[in-house]
Amino acid sequence: MTYEQSLKNIEALKNLVWPWNIDYVFFDYKSESEFEIIFFEKENSDKIEEYLVTKHKAELPVAHIHENELGQEILYYEDNYFRFRTNMVTDEIYEHDFTGYFKHCPLQMKLEMAALVRKLENM
């Protein structure tokens, strides 16, 4: 997976429409960029944990959307290189961090990724 693919995945998820009466949306990645959407109600949200473990072991991206206490949709995305959490209503970015393999990359690659993050924040 490339860093550009990570950012493309995040943008694709941000552009989805939230369905009515759904508490959690889980994006079941089948490859680095292709996923199926699974909807959960709060009573079944523990099943998300099972998916998270499976996807982490398979080194596939993990992403889901849930509502915060104010009823705003929060997008969480993580892959082998990047972790991202944003409020989809206010566009506030709560977290963006380099993960796993990326921590051991040369400084130049980290600077390039930081530039891509700034670009995403300004979209």
Side-chain angles (χ1 to χ4, degrees), residues 32-92:
E32 292 180 350
S33 62
E34 298 192 18
F35 59 86
E36 293 179 3
I37 299 174
I38 302 173
F39 302 107
F40 291 102
E41 294 184 12
K42 283 186 181 175
E43 320 56 88
N44 298 323
S45 63
D46 58 325
K47 292 185 180 185
I48 289 178
E49 291 299 320
E50 296 171 24
Y51 283 104
L52 294 176
V53 171
T54 302
K55 296 304 168 181
H56 275 295
K57 286 182 181 177
E59 296 188 356
L60 290 170
V62 172
H64 60 89
I65 298 173
H66 67 276
E67 285 188 346
N68 66 9
E69 61 280 351
L70 301 174
Q72 299 168 329
E73 293 85 23
I74 306 300
L75 167 64
Y76 176 82
Y77 174 88
E78 183 175 341
D79 60 31
N80 287 335
Y81 298 101
F82 198 63
R83 182 180 304 122
F84 182 82
R85 189 167 53 104
T86 187
N87 184 316
M88 296 177 63
V89 175
T90 65
D91 272 342
E92 180 181 359

Side-chain angles (χ1 to χ4, degrees), residues 18-25 39-41 67:
W18 184 267
W20 289 96
N21 297 324
I22 296 296
D23 298 311
Y24 294 90
V25 178
F39 302 107
F40 291 102
E41 294 184 12
E67 285 188 346

